[in-house]
Each structure stands twice: as structure tokens, then as C-alpha cells.
Amino acid sequence: MACRTSILGSLALLATLFAGALPAEAQQRTCFAQTGHCISGRFVQFWQQNGGLPVFGYPLTDELTQQGRTVQYFERQRFELHAENAAPYDVLLGLLGQEILQQQGTHSHPIAPGPLAGCLWFPQTHHNICDQTPNGGFKQYWTTHGLEFDGRAGKSYEESLALFGLPVTEPFQQSIDGGMLEVQWFERARFEWHPGNADPYRVLLGRLGAEVQPATGPTSGAPLYASQDSPAEVLASFYNAISRQEYQRAYGYWETPPSPYDQFAQGYADTASVQLIVQPPTFIDVGAGNLHAAIPTVLVATKRDGSMQRFGGCYTTHKANIQPDVWHLSQAQIAPIDASASIPMLLAQACAAFGAPAPAQTSYADQNTPVDLLASYYNAINRQEYTRAYGYWETPPSPYDQFAQGYADTASVQLIVQLPAFVDAGAGNLHVAIPTVVIATRHDGSQQTFVGCYSMHKVNIQPDVWHLARATIAPAAASLDISSTLTQACAT
């Protein structure tokens, strides 16, 4: 496949069948919807083995290169890769406490006159670590937390020192997030005393990583979308990550990544955003404990210079039929298309090789995600199961007889939507709007195109499911530009 732009190069790679897995370390990856960033390789091993979320917090950046070294910022720390060292010393923690005090110009604090009874004394810095109460405090926390070096129960002095470093101040009162707290600074941490919290949360670690993390450049402004609950959602999450330039998160959605990470990320270096247009439903093929689904896809990529390029084809996704496995991208057959190409015709044929059934051939009924609900609705229309279609409405738009009669002349419907569908949550309710194009074929073979927005609703409690709440749909010219139309379909 010829490569004319950087995204072409990346997508061309996806069009191949990928043989052979990457090393186990390269495949190990954990992504967080809360921040839109992933941890992988040696860093995710270190994070998991040494305290995880309570100790380090969420990742705030992807891996970066600073002063020639690979680093990654977390809420409470900075991981630094020292490949020249043997494990476990190949990952070291940044001296963030020391760095922040120097930036604040407060690195010179009074030293203690000497050891205090019941406290830990550090002659290297002339500071003590003491407990705030007889039941615990900074000393107890320092001695019971640390990195894991020897696999033995409890924490050694060396393990605690590796996590927190030496104390560089005595305890003192400091304003943190608008309130006064007793704090003590260490080379790699800031201990905060929260006497109003229940144990074991009275000693908390300051968010030093958040205070010093570097600016990583603006994203496209797209809200975060991260879900692997369905085939369409994992593809929507992938392109949301690309549009936000969160390439590590995007890379993590692949079952077997299509290329080494650096090559993958470079392929999108000139891409500002990607519009994802799909044709649901994504029929699931079940066999031998595995689920497979194909997604007819059109992509409209906007480059940083404002020019645009369109691609079309088929993504296939995979999920092991066990819990708690999630959907991953498995293959892609994507190629450039001309801007004048018919998106409906392309989508109708994009996954033919996968064996996707005709619209009315197979029943599709799933209300677990908004796009699956809308796909189920039009699958019922295609199968002339009007009672089922009517039941997907939270409040039906008309009496049943009138509703069914409205589709009496409809032979089939092609559904085209733009993803992702962002969820608006509030007061125990979830709402979603999906930009939609519907192409209805009548029994006489003529066609009518409709454009608009479907709104869905779900009460945010189990076992409630999604229902159609409202539709704002109107006839449109068959010659309309589907890409730009979908962009505006749900604009308020």
C-alpha cells in the first residue's frame, strides 16, 4: 500500500496481518480512564509491585524523555528508567521533595539539635521522624512502607529509604490546597498529617508529581473516552486516544500491537484529530471460547496543517469469552479513499470478507451501550419486528399502530453513526446523544436519507439498561456530505 502521509503510513501498517507477539514485558500495559494515560513495560511492573495507586497515584503523562532518560510522571512521583542498572534498581524514583523545596526557595530549614526519644534520627540530614500520636504517625508510616527488594514480610530500612528518601525538614505547618496541615518533607515525598481521617488514612502522601509534572502539549480538546465494553466502544476509545495524542493508551487497545511503539506513535505525528464513522450493528461471531466482531469503518483524518484525508475499511476485534476480559483490536484492513467516494456504499461492503450478515438476516438485541441500543432498534425495523422496536423507547413517540404503520413501506434501513458517544451524567441519570444518518430503502427500491440526533437515557443503577428518549430526525438530500453532517447533527 502506498504511503502518502504519516497517518497513511500508520494505517498501512494496520492493514497487514500481524504475526508473532511482542515480548511479554512489551505487552503488559494498564490504562486509566481517569487520566487517559497508560503504564507499560518495566514501569507498570514497578508500579504494581511497589504499592500501586495508594503510593504512586494515577499516571499523569505517558513516557517522556528528559535529559536523555525515559521518565513518567504520576500523581505522587516520577519514575526514571535506568537501564544500566540491574533490577530492581533499573527504576528509580525522582527526588521530587528536594526539587520542589528548591523551586520554592525553602530548601534551607532549621535542623534538629539531636535525636529525640521515640523517634528515628538521621545524622545525614540532622532530622528526626516522629509519630504524631502514640498510635502512629510519620514514623510508623515511614517504617511500614517501602519498595520491595527482598520478598520478605515487612519493610527494611533500605526499602523505606528507597521509596521516601531521607527527611529534609522537621515537621511544620504548611498551607496545602487552602488548608493548614502538619507536613514533613523527604527527598522523594511529602508526608501530610490528616488527624480527622480514619486509620490508615491519617498520613497521606502529597501529590508531588502533579505539582512538578511538565507541560506535555495541548490535546485536541476532545473529552476523554475510554471503554472496552463493546467492539464499537474499543474502536471509539482508540481514535479518541489518537485525537488526544495519547498514543500509549491507543497502543494498549491492540491485542498484538501492529508495530514497535515508537514507529506507531510517529505514524500519527502529523495527525490533529480523527473523525470515526461506523455502521452498526457489529455482529459477534462466537467460537471456541472466543468472541470476534467486525466494524465497517470510515475515518476522516485532519492533519495539523488543516488538510484532510479519508480512509475506509474494516476493523476486527476480539474478546475471550470469559470475565473480566475486555474487547481489543485484533486486525485492520484500512485503505485511503477518495473524498468523493460514497460512504454508505463503502460501509455496506467494508466487512464482507468477514461474513457479516445482511441487515435482516440475524437478530441483534443489546441495550447495554447506547450505540448497541440504536443498532438493536434498527435491526428490529429491518426484521419488521415492530413490537420489539417499539419497546426500546422509554416513552414511545406515538401509539403503536401509528408507529408500525410509519414503517410499512420500509424494506431495510442502513444505520450510520459517529462515535464516540459521550455520556452526560447527573442526578443518578445518564444521557447520550448519537449523531445519526439513516438511509431507508422502500419496497419499490427507492431510497430516502434522514439525518439527525438520537438521545438515549439510562438510570444509573443496575440492572437498568439504555432506552431511546428522543429523536430529532429529518429528511435530507442523498448527495449530502455525511462527514460534515454528522459533525453538526447533535449540535445544540
Side-chain angles (χ1 to χ4, degrees):
M1 185 183 301
C3 300
R4 295 203 296 263
T5 69
S6 57
I7 191 169
L8 276 179
S10 186
L11 290 169
L13 286 168
L14 308 186
T16 61
L17 297 180
F18 310 122
L22 296 180
E25 180 176 301
Q27 294 184 32
Q28 195 174 5
R29 183 177 303 273
T30 300
C31 296
F32 298 88
Q34 294 86 345
T35 62
H37 294 285
C38 301
I39 322 171
S40 63
R42 184 67 182 100
F43 282 172
V44 74
Q45 292 177 346
F46 186 91
W47 188 89
Q48 292 170 342
Q49 294 166 358
N50 291 288
L53 196 61
V55 173
F56 303 118
Y58 292 112
L60 298 180
T61 69
D62 292 335
E63 291 182 7
L64 308 170
T65 300
Q66 290 185 332
Q67 298 179 347
R69 191 173 300 284
T70 299
V71 303
Q72 186 167 10
Y73 283 79
F74 296 78
E75 289 181 286
R76 300 181 180 93
Q77 250 304 340
R78 179 182 66 226
F79 287 10
E80 301 174 355
L81 186 63
H82 291 255
E84 69 277 10
N85 296 344
Y89 306 104
D90 55 338
V91 177
L92 300 180
L93 301 179
L95 299 173
L96 297 189
Q98 207 165 275
E99 292 175 18
I100 292 176
L101 288 178
Q102 290 174 352
Q103 291 171 4
Q104 294 175 348
T106 56
H107 56 284
S108 179
H109 280 264
I111 61 175
L116 298 176
C119 300
L120 287 179
W121 167 248
F122 292 82
Q124 304 95 318
T125 58
H126 290 269
H127 292 293
N128 292 279
I129 308 178
C130 306
D131 281 332
Q132 278 61 37
T133 74
N135 296 321
F138 292 168
K139 173 189 170 184
Q140 182 190 59
Y141 193 90
W142 196 93
T143 57
T144 57
H145 293 76
L147 301 184
E148 184 53 60
F149 289 163
D150 55 18
R152 299 176 183 175
K155 294 300 174 185
S156 66
Y157 175 91
E158 290 76 15
E159 290 171 328
S160 297
L161 187 65
L163 178 57
F164 302 123
L166 298 167
V168 292
T169 73
E170 292 293 297
F172 67 100
Q173 293 290 316
Q174 185 173 3
S175 176
I176 304 291
D177 295 330
M180 296 301 296
L181 293 175
E182 183 178 353
V183 304
Q184 185 168 12
W185 287 77
F186 297 79
E187 290 177 300
R188 299 184 175 92
R190 180 181 67 228
F191 286 13
E192 300 174 356
W193 178 245
H194 295 259
N197 291 355
D199 284 331
Y201 306 109
R202 290 195 287 178
V203 177
L204 299 179
L205 297 178
R207 299 178 71 250
L208 303 191
E211 294 174 19
V212 302
Q213 73 167 105
T216 56
T219 67
S220 69
L224 174 67
Y225 188 88
S227 173
Q228 293 176 256
D229 291 342
S230 75
E233 288 189 330
V234 70
L235 185 58
S237 300
F238 174 77
Y239 278 108
N240 175 259
I242 295 299
S243 292
R244 289 168 57 87
Q245 294 129 51
E246 295 166 0
Y247 304 128
Q248 285 201 7
R249 176 163 70 96
Y251 195 70
Y253 290 127
W254 281 97
E255 188 171 50
T256 300
S259 62
Y261 172 75
D262 289 345
Q263 185 179 351
F264 171 87
Q266 185 59 36
Y268 292 103
D270 196 34
T271 303
S273 64
V274 180
Q275 180 189 19
L276 172 64
I277 301 170
V278 303
Q279 174 187 285
T282 50
F283 288 97
I284 296 174
D285 181 29
V286 182
N290 291 275
L291 307 180
H292 299 272
I295 309 172
T297 303
V298 166
L299 307 170
V300 182
T302 300
K303 296 196 295 182
R304 297 189 188 279
D305 63 4
S307 61
M308 303 176 78
Q309 173 71 61
R310 296 189 179 194
F311 303 83
C314 185
Y315 273 90
T316 55
T317 58
H318 171 250
K319 175 183 182 294
N321 193 20
I322 54 174
Q323 295 297 331
D325 195 34
V326 293
W327 287 94
H328 287 85
L329 302 175
S330 57
Q331 293 181 12
Q333 295 176 327
I334 301 292
I337 60 174
D338 192 86
S340 62
S342 168
I343 289 179
M345 290 180 62
L346 188 149
L347 290 172
Q349 299 297 320
C351 293
F354 185 79
Q361 182 177 332
T362 302
S363 180
Y364 189 89
D366 185 348
Q367 293 175 254
N368 289 318
T369 73
V371 69
D372 285 328
L373 165 65
L374 191 57
S376 300
Y377 175 73
Y378 277 109
N379 175 260
I381 298 299
N382 279 321
R383 293 170 60 83
Q384 300 172 22
E385 297 171 356
Y386 303 129
T387 301
R388 175 162 71 95
Y390 195 71
Y392 289 130
W393 284 96
E394 189 171 51
T395 301
S398 63
Y400 174 75
D401 290 344
Q402 182 180 346
F403 171 86
Q405 185 59 35
Y407 290 104
D409 194 35
T410 302
S412 65
V413 177
Q414 181 182 14
L415 173 64
I416 300 172
V417 302
Q418 174 184 285
L419 296 179
F422 292 99
V423 176
D424 180 23
N429 292 273
L430 305 180
H431 300 271
V432 165
I434 299 184
T436 304
V437 169
V438 173
I439 301 174
T441 301
R442 302 185 183 94
H443 288 294
D444 64 5
S446 62
Q447 291 187 328
Q448 175 66 65
T449 299
F450 298 85
V451 173
C453 185
Y454 273 91
S455 300
M456 287 83 164
H457 171 246
K458 177 182 182 291
V459 178
N460 194 20
I461 55 174
Q462 296 298 331
D464 194 39
V465 292
W466 288 96
H467 288 85
L468 299 173
R470 188 174 67 256
T472 307
I473 300 291
S479 60
L480 62 83
D481 180 75
I482 288 180
S483 170
S484 59
T485 298
L486 287 172
T487 300
Q488 299 298 320
C490 290
T492 55

